[in-house]
Amino acid sequence: MDRRRFLALSAATVAALPLARAAQAAPLEYKPGLVEERLKAGETVFLDFKASWCTTCAAQERVLDALKAGNPAYEQAITLINVDWDAYGKSDLAKSLKIPRRSTLVVLKGNQELGRIVADTSKGAIQGLMDTALAAATA
């Protein structure tokens, strides 16, 4: 391959990266009825109960972002839903799942809870929960 062709292909690849990233599913913002709708559709749901001011939530988000960047299958197979703690911390959803606080991550499939993490920011724990969700989603 000559230098000109190599540079052209390299530039095209770099230009396409943001488009590929945009094609991945961004987390949905919770609204009442969304979780039930997605579960009835047979999806595996990953709930992230968080608040914009929560430092633990921010640390979890950094780990989640790194994991999703390293394994696109997470975003492709799992329905990720952000739940604003300030708006929905006392909602029927939070009550029914017995969510104790913000910075709680929960995986659901059908009518079953497959796992949860409360206030844990370790990569290993969060990756374990994401892997549980991925296994359920692709089973």
Side-chain angles (χ1 to χ4, degrees), residues 74-128:
Y74 289 140
E75 287 182 299
Q76 293 165 355
I78 303 165
T79 300
L80 303 162
I81 301 176
N82 291 333
V83 184
D84 182 343
W85 181 257
D86 292 330
Y88 298 106
K90 295 183 181 179
S91 68
D92 290 340
L93 174 68
K95 289 176 189 172
S96 69
L97 293 174
K98 297 181 172 101
I99 303 301
R101 56 172 287 168
R102 67 203 179 283
S103 68
T104 299
L105 308 173
V106 180
V107 174
L108 305 170
K109 175 84 177 200
N111 61 356
Q112 216 176 5
E113 180 177 316
L114 303 180
R116 82 169 48 198
I117 293 174
V118 179
D120 191 340
T121 60
S122 71
K123 180 182 178 187
I126 295 172
Q127 184 171 9

Side-chain angles (χ1 to χ4, degrees), residues 58-71:
Q60 287 177 329
E61 185 172 11
R62 286 189 297 274
V63 172
L64 285 166
D65 288 345
L67 290 169
K68 291 184 293 186
N71 186 354

Side-chain angles (χ1 to χ4, degrees), residues 15-29:
L17 286 176
L19 297 174
R21 180 73 179 142
Q24 293 179 338
L28 302 172
E29 294 303 319

